[in-house]
Amino acid sequence: MRIDVVTIFPGYLDPLRHALLGKAIERGIMTVAVHDLRSWSHDVHRTVDDSPFGGGPGMVMVPTVWGPALDDVAALTGPAAESSPLETALAHKLAHTGAGSVTDGDGTTGPVTDGSGGEGGTGEGAGSGTTGSGSDCGSGDDGTTGRDDRPLLIVPTPAGAPFTQETAARWSTEDRLVFACGRYEGIDQRVVDDAAERYRVEEVSIGDYVLIGGEVAVLVIAEAVVRLIPGVLGNRRSHEEDSFSDGLLEGPSYTKPREWRGLAVPDVLLSGNHALVDRWRRDQSLIRTAERRPDLLADVDLSARDREIIQGVIGEVTEENC
Ligand code: ADE
């Protein structure tokens, strides 16, 4: 997968170089390129915003800068071809020790990105090599598979559709994700409308609150998506058993010691009886979901036994209470 982020604060995206996402870059599973929107602004002050038509507070990001930026990122031309792919923090460390490859904790060896910090990379190499249609024809159909190969443009905004685990799973199979980070009162709507010529476009919100800009939302979305790509998480089961993967919240987890500060691990987890452990885990998920997110229960297939467990928390399970 290749991820491009367009922002006026490239440094905000540095966390992408760390931990799991950094490892995915090391392994060549993912390439990330961060582009400074101001590279497409040509006035002396490198302006990217202006006052809103119709009046009102704040500033709106101008289409005359965003349009060319998104054209170039789709086609990987202009300044978008020049920005070097994001390197991982580990690559930087190794550059100082002179090592050429890294052995991961799980014993696999992955390639290391050049840590020189030099310019000129084009972002090629890892990922699928998809560069999008790069054309301005609306369909993006590759003519052979019937698949729309235009990159997916994601615009984080509090006015977007909710970003959920289902969205993350859907996007985890994409070849190219391009994120457009708005600031101020957002981006002129014509940018999003026009981008639909070169991209498939989705406007999403990560929650019912307002952030200062889209950058933090990109970090959240990228982490949720990338961890679902095969090979990124060591243990596949760990995301199959996530909260939300079966529509329920995950129950509590325990590790050693068996007793800590007078608190014991539930006996069933020490029983060695896998059927009992599975049933106990399901019950804990049901109880937690009923207590914290009863709205989720409406979309879950519930057995008679499941309903009994939930009744213990919220009484009779009806259309009204879940
Ligand atoms: N930008 C500002 N607030 C946001 C939110 N809640 N979700 C996504 N992008 C945002």
Side-chain angles (χ1 to χ4, degrees):
M1 175 184 284
R2 178 186 165 108
I3 294 180
D4 290 275
V5 186
V6 187
T7 169
I8 55 168
F9 293 119
Y12 236 113
L13 283 305
D14 273 359
L16 288 175
R17 295 188 292 131
H18 295 281
L20 220 93
L21 299 191
K23 217 171 204 187
I25 298 172
E26 298 286 344
R27 289 176 172 171
I29 294 172
M30 179 173 101
T31 311
V32 180
V34 179
H35 312 276
D36 186 347
L37 178 69
R38 294 191 199 276
S39 307
W40 285 272
S41 170
H42 298 299
D43 69 308
V44 197
H45 304 292
R46 306 183 83 199
T47 310
V48 293
D49 60 336
D50 210 330
S51 52
F53 277 126
M59 302 289 267
V60 177
M61 299 185 99
V62 296
T64 45
V65 176
W66 267 110
L70 292 180
D71 292 348
D72 277 339
V73 171
L76 296 180
T77 52
E82 283 149 30
S83 70
S84 49
L86 198 66
E87 296 143 358
T88 66
L90 183 55
H92 281 292
K93 243 200 238 165
L94 289 170
H96 291 290
T97 60
S101 70
V102 56
T103 303
D104 295 314
D106 61 7
T108 59
T109 302
V112 173
T113 327
D114 170 22
S116 66
E119 287 288 311
T122 60
E124 340 170 308
S128 68
T130 308
T131 56
S133 69
S135 74
D136 53 8
C137 77
S139 95
D141 185 331
D142 69 3
T144 50
T145 60
R147 189 182 144 149
D148 189 338
D149 65 347
R150 288 174 298 167
L152 184 63
L153 176 66
I154 299 164
V155 186
T157 160
F163 172 77
T164 64
Q165 188 66 20
E166 185 277 319
T167 326
R170 187 159 50 80
W171 291 351
S172 68
T173 62
E174 291 285 339
D175 291 330
R176 274 199 78 186
L177 301 180
V178 176
F179 291 94
C181 298
R183 285 255 148 187
Y184 319 118
E185 292 304 304
I187 305 172
D188 186 302
Q189 188 60 39
R190 289 167 295 176
V191 172
V192 176
D193 298 344
D194 172 71
E197 294 284 318
R198 282 159 290 285
Y199 294 93
R200 289 165 293 133
V201 185
E202 298 203 36
E203 294 178 83
V204 288
S205 165
I206 61 161
D208 292 340
Y209 40 78
V210 181
L211 305 168
I212 301 171
E215 286 78 4
V216 171
V218 170
L219 295 175
V220 169
I221 294 169
E223 183 158 320
V225 169
V226 170
R227 68 186 284 281
L228 298 180
I229 299 174
V232 171
L233 276 191
N235 178 1
R236 207 164 155 247
R237 268 190 80 189
S238 62
H239 65 72
E240 283 168 0
E241 290 175 5
D242 282 341
S243 280
F244 303 117
S245 62
D246 59 1
L248 296 172
L249 302 184
E250 205 174 7
S253 304
Y254 300 87
T255 185
K256 296 181 195 74
R258 284 179 178 210
E259 197 175 310
W260 178 77
R261 295 189 176 174
L263 301 169
V265 169
D267 284 341
V268 61
L269 297 178
L270 311 172
S271 70
N273 183 331
H274 296 300
L276 266 187
V277 170
D278 285 349
R279 185 62 249 181
W280 180 85
R281 287 201 169 127
R282 173 122 184 132
D283 292 351
Q284 294 301 311
S285 283
L286 290 163
I287 292 167
R288 199 172 256 189
T289 309
E291 284 171 350
R292 300 179 183 177
R293 292 292 307 278
D295 56 301
L296 295 177
L297 292 172
D299 294 324
V300 180
D301 275 340
L302 298 172
S303 67
R305 154 95 204 230
D306 289 341
R307 284 172 187 277
E308 256 175 51
I309 298 294
I310 294 166
Q311 270 168 33
V313 182
I314 56 173
E316 193 69 31
V317 181
T318 65
E319 296 237 323
E320 281 74 49
N321 63 17
C322 74

